[in-house]
């Protein structure tokens, strides 16, 4: 088995998604929010590219059980039910609901990876559960950092490095140079929180008043939920079909 990291978003035509398990990482905050929503009982999270697409899609569903979630510029989209803070996605808010979700970078990376054999969503919150699932799926693993403005994001690279280190602890895998580089980045920080505070996006979120999101997203393994994409919807990985 091989493990590789895309340190910045790149078209799947370039990297190829066949026979791979792709793990999309947007630790601040789309991945952390999607994981929290499913952990707290959301039926599905449907990633879309734009707020307009979200509104159109909602009108096609039984809208009573659908919430619109996501951000632009880090803040809740006007007219949406929820923003992109994992703390908003509480059990009493999301249980039984479908969340139509759009964020600046995260949902874009998810949609780009849509044709991967297996597409999982990872963050520190569910790191161990995702690593176990990816090893069980027994295909080459590609960690896809959502990044920022189509470029590199330090916090995603460090999180990918933590995933690589965990995979190497649990299995015999061949790592690419970018996987090694991601591990080195992760190892250069005393804590996950320190990697957030060193990153441009972490600093922006702090300025916007989302310090509690940073603390939450820095927590290891508090969730068992492994979001997997089935027919364009993210559901818990033990769910065969979107309910
Ligand atoms: C994104 O998808 O760009 C992020 O999740 C932005 C954010 O932190 O809200």
């Amino acid at each position: 088995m091989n493990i590789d990291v895309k340190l910045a978003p790149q078209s799947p035509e370039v990297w190829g998604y066949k026979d791979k398990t792709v793990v999309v990482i947007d630790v601040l905050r789309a991945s952390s929010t999607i994981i929290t929503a499913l952990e707290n009982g959301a039926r599905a999270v449907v990633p879309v590219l734009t707020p307009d697409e979200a509104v159109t899609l909602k009108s096609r569903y039984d809208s009573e059980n659908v919430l619109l979630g996501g951000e632009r510029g880090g803040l809740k989209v006007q007219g949406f039910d929820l923003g992109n803070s994992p703390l908003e996605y509480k059990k009493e808010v999301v249980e039984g609901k479908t969340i139509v979700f759009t964020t600046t970078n995260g949902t874009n990376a998810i949609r780009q990876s849509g044709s991967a054999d297996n597409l999982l969503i990872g963050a520190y919150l569910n790191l161990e559960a995702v690593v176990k699932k990816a090893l069980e799926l027994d295909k080459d693993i590609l960690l896809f950092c959502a990044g920022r403005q189509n470029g590199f994001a330090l916090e995603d690279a460090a999180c990918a490095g933590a995933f690589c280190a965990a995979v190497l602890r649990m299995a015999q895998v061949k790592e690419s140079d970018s996987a090694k580089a991601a591990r080195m980045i992760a190892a250069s920080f005393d804590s996950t929180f320190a990697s957030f505070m060193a990153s441009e996006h972490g600093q922006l979120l702090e300025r916007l008043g989302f310090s509690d999101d940073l603390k939450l997203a820095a927590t290891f393994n508090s969730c068992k939920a492994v979001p997997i994409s089935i027919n364009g919807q993210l559901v818990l990985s033990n769910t065969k079909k979107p309910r």
Side-chain angles (χ1 to χ4, degrees):
M1 187 185 282
N2 296 295
I3 186 162
D4 190 14
V5 178
K6 288 294 156 216
L7 288 164
Q10 210 176 25
S11 155
E13 276 76 57
V14 178
W15 49 263
Y17 37 69
K18 279 235 64 68
D19 288 327
K20 288 189 175 78
T21 294
V22 175
V23 181
V24 172
I25 297 174
D26 183 3
V27 64
L28 295 179
R29 294 168 290 174
S31 295
S32 302
T33 300
I34 292 166
I35 294 159
T36 303
L38 292 177
E39 179 85 6
N40 286 338
R43 290 175 64 203
V45 177
V46 187
V48 299
L49 294 179
T50 64
D52 283 350
E53 194 185 341
V55 172
T56 307
L57 191 58
K58 180 176 176 175
S59 67
R60 291 202 208 126
Y61 285 108
D62 157 21
S63 53
E64 210 180 284
N65 289 316
V66 178
L67 297 173
L68 294 178
E71 60 68 41
R72 282 300 178 272
L75 302 174
K76 184 167 92 168
V77 178
Q78 207 181 4
F80 273 33
D81 304 293
L82 299 162
N84 190 25
S85 166
L87 291 165
E88 291 177 75
Y89 290 69
K90 296 183 193 336
K91 193 174 169 64
E92 58 270 31
V93 177
V94 301
E95 193 167 30
K97 307 282 187 194
T98 296
I99 321 280
V100 181
F101 189 64
T102 180
T103 69
T104 311
N105 304 287
T107 52
N108 197 20
I110 295 166
R111 286 281 287 261
Q112 276 190 43
S113 319
S115 302
D117 277 19
N118 304 301
L119 170 55
L120 310 179
I121 306 298
Y124 294 115
L125 291 177
N126 68 351
L127 185 142
E128 196 178 289
V130 169
V131 168
K132 280 189 187 149
K133 184 72 192 174
L135 291 174
E136 184 189 307
L137 291 166
D138 201 22
K139 290 187 182 292
D140 288 346
I141 299 170
L142 188 130
L143 300 158
F144 186 6
C145 298
R148 199 158 180 246
Q149 291 152 1
N150 289 318
F152 179 88
L154 186 57
E155 72 281 8
D156 289 340
C159 186
F163 269 91
C164 292
V167 169
L168 284 172
R169 280 196 297 273
M170 289 175 71
Q172 287 260 332
V173 290
K174 187 167 173 293
E175 60 176 349
S176 68
D177 281 358
S178 54
K180 277 183 201 140
R183 276 198 305 116
M184 288 173 193
I185 290 168
S188 72
F189 292 104
D190 289 338
S191 67
T192 52
F193 190 75
S195 73
F196 291 167
M197 291 318 296
S199 72
E200 289 175 305
H201 193 56
Q203 289 167 13
L204 172 70
L205 290 173
E206 163 122 309
R207 284 199 299 279
L208 291 173
F210 293 116
S211 311
D212 289 344
D213 287 5
L214 301 182
K215 286 185 201 133
L216 179 87
T219 314
F220 275 95
N221 300 324
S222 57
C223 296
K224 298 264 176 287
V226 177
I228 190 166
S229 177
I230 297 182
N231 300 334
Q233 300 197 357
L234 298 167
V235 296
L236 288 178
S237 69
N238 52 3
T239 309
K240 293 276 178 288
K241 285 189 184 144
R243 287 165 278 166

